[in-house]
Amino acid sequence: ETVKRFIALYTKDNRRRAVEEALGRAERYRPMMTAALRRAKLPEELFWLVMTESEYKMKAVSGAGAAGLWQFMPATGRKYGLEVSYWVDERMDPEKATGAAVKYLKDLKEWFGDWHLALAGYNRGEGGVGRDMQFTRSTDFGTLSERGILPGETQNYVPKFMACVLLGEHPERYGLKPAAEAPEAFEVALVERDLDLEVAAKAAGTNLETMKRLNPELRAWCTPKGRSYNLRIPAGSKDAFFAGLSKVAEWNPGPKVVMHKVQKGEFLGKIAKKYRTTVRAIITHNELRNPKSLRVGQVLRIPPGKAFK
């Protein structure tokens, strides 16, 4: 009955379009993700877990700090081999995050021996579900749900996933007409030192927006300093890319954006003055809806003014 309720919710007029768009985005990632699941001998239906987590929005970030298609928290991401640093957040990398998710899901299935409990663990954390099982002395997801031990979000998570599987595998059954988006073709170029993304875009014959879309894990204006990096560039552009780079004297002329962690007592005017920029520029770069609601520890992207050094 809960699965039916979610299907009804997702196919209502006010949600239908968003669901169709999500199912369309799913096709960008389906070949890569299902291949990874097959290699790990996991059910291919787990592909639809991403619908439950992020609706296939590559840069999705939750209020709790989970990020990327698979919505990893920083600690869990690092545990499964993802770099989360000043320069790189591999939770945003579709391929690397999928590899980490496959490992995590395989571990969850081995720990719990049951897919319903494993999926609940993906949402709540294996420790939380383990404590719930110990408290109730139950090894069955249905019993845990009936006794109201699981948090409401986790209790609904498994039936929500089931609804997503049904909608994703048979959209026509439910009157959905998603427009499939094709995977974006790219190739990988090994750059030996830090490279400004605008310089990279010009060398590859593309624009900055495309470079950022192909490399969503990069958090700064350039590839990580002090090391080589496998940079994604548009398919068929590798020769032109390296030829263009060979003519560039300065690969990394300087930051277009710097990261700033908000400290106690700081406000936008004070931060703007520090970086010789404007409050409006900071608001625009961070899409701040309420500029007066800065939080201590919040990280802002700052476009520094020309006088900033």
Side-chain angles (χ1 to χ4, degrees), residues 136-187:
T136 59
R137 297 184 181 179
S138 171
T139 58
D140 176 72
F141 177 81
T143 303
L144 290 174
S145 296
E146 289 169 7
R147 294 180 182 177
I149 298 300
L150 297 169
E153 179 187 339
T154 304
Q155 188 164 320
N156 287 324
Y157 187 79
V158 174
K160 183 179 179 182
F161 163 71
M162 292 177 176
C164 288
V165 173
L166 292 171
L167 293 172
E169 295 290 344
H170 308 286
E172 70 288 343
R173 247 184 229 176
Y174 304 97
L176 298 172
K177 299 177 181 178
E181 298 182 17
E184 188 167 12
F186 65 86
E187 53 189 330

Side-chain angles (χ1 to χ4, degrees), residues 87 189-204 206 208 211-212 215 218-233 238 240-256:
W87 297 106
L190 177 64
V191 292
E192 297 295 341
R193 51 194 169 92
D194 49 289
L195 175 64
D196 187 300
L197 292 182
E198 284 194 19
V199 174
K202 289 177 184 176
T206 186
L208 181 59
M211 291 303 298
K212 288 183 175 180
N215 299 276
L218 294 178
R219 303 181 73 180
W221 72 95
C222 63
T223 60
K225 288 194 173 185
R227 71 194 211 209
S228 59
Y229 196 79
N230 284 314
L231 187 71
R232 298 185 193 89
I233 57 177
K238 187 180 286 190
F241 173 73
F242 283 117
L245 276 186
S246 68
K247 300 172 185 176
V248 176
E250 181 57 75
W251 279 28
N252 191 8
K256 305 300 185 296

Side-chain angles (χ1 to χ4, degrees), residues 283-302:
I283 292 172
T284 301
H285 270 72
N286 295 276
E287 300 180 354
L288 297 176
R289 295 181 181 178
N290 185 0
K292 295 181 180 180
S293 64
L294 293 183
R295 304 184 310 276
V296 173
Q298 181 178 357
V299 177
L300 298 174
R301 296 169 61 83
I302 311 291

Side-chain angles (χ1 to χ4, degrees), residues 115-129:
W115 273 117
H116 292 163
L117 291 171
L119 291 168
Y122 193 92
N123 174 255
R124 177 152 163 68
E126 60 272 21
V129 173

Side-chain angles (χ1 to χ4, degrees), residues 264-275 279:
K264 186 176 182 180
E266 286 189 325
F267 53 91
L268 285 184
K270 184 176 181 180
I271 296 170
K273 185 177 180 180
K274 176 180 179 180
Y275 291 98
V279 169

